[in-house]
Amino acid sequence: QVHLMESGGGVVQPGGSLKLSCTVSGFTNCMGWFRQAPGEEREGVASMSGGGSRYYADFVRGRFIISKDTAKKTVDLQINDLRPEDTAMYYCAAGPRSCGVYERYFNTWGQGTQVTVSS
């Protein structure tokens, strides 16, 4: 059974950076990050397969970087040049097989960590 715990959210000024971490216990292949803004549907941000392939949503445009630290058993999301529209609850997700930025690839979800971008 896979368990996920996110950390690293907070309040950041526009233009700032944050690094979100997801601590993973259990076996999984695909790890991903999603976000959900108030009143909006949850959307995929980035994912990474066990083989190291990375997948990004079109809106990312180089500002988000997903990586994993095998020793720490974390999957991290570095977010740069934060904008007010990045304000959302960010969720870590895990899936057993195929990988991508769509919810159908994932069957386990974390509780989320809030990111607020405000001056």
Side-chain angles (χ1 to χ4, degrees):
Q1 191 172 2
V2 178
H3 292 281
L4 309 173
M5 182 173 293
E6 304 96 334
S7 62
V11 180
V12 186
Q13 292 187 343
S17 298
L18 269 181
K19 184 177 182 179
L20 308 182
S21 288
C22 176
T23 301
V24 184
S25 63
F27 175 79
T28 184
N29 179 54
C30 182
M31 292 298 304
W33 284 95
F34 286 73
R35 70 182 187 181
Q36 187 169 22
E40 301 290 332
E41 293 187 355
R42 188 161 57 187
E43 61 181 353
V45 176
S47 67
M48 189 169 184
S49 72
S53 297
R54 292 174 171 85
Y55 306 85
Y56 292 101
D58 290 342
F59 69 82
V60 165
R61 297 184 181 177
R63 295 192 299 119
F64 295 65
I65 301 171
I66 190 169
S67 62
K68 62 181 176 181
D69 187 323
T70 303
K72 295 181 179 178
K73 297 184 180 180
T74 63
V75 177
D76 302 325
L77 185 70
Q78 177 72 36
I79 313 174
N80 300 317
D81 188 23
L82 278 155
R83 304 166 183 174
E85 54 263 38
D86 294 321
T87 295
M89 184 72 77
Y90 283 72
Y91 296 91
C92 179
R97 291 177 290 277
S98 300
C99 209
V101 292
Y102 300 102
E103 291 196 22
R104 64 177 180 267
Y105 295 119
F106 302 90
N107 60 2
T108 303
W109 298 83
Q111 295 299 306
T113 185
Q114 178 69 38
V115 172
T116 301
V117 184
S118 174
S119 56

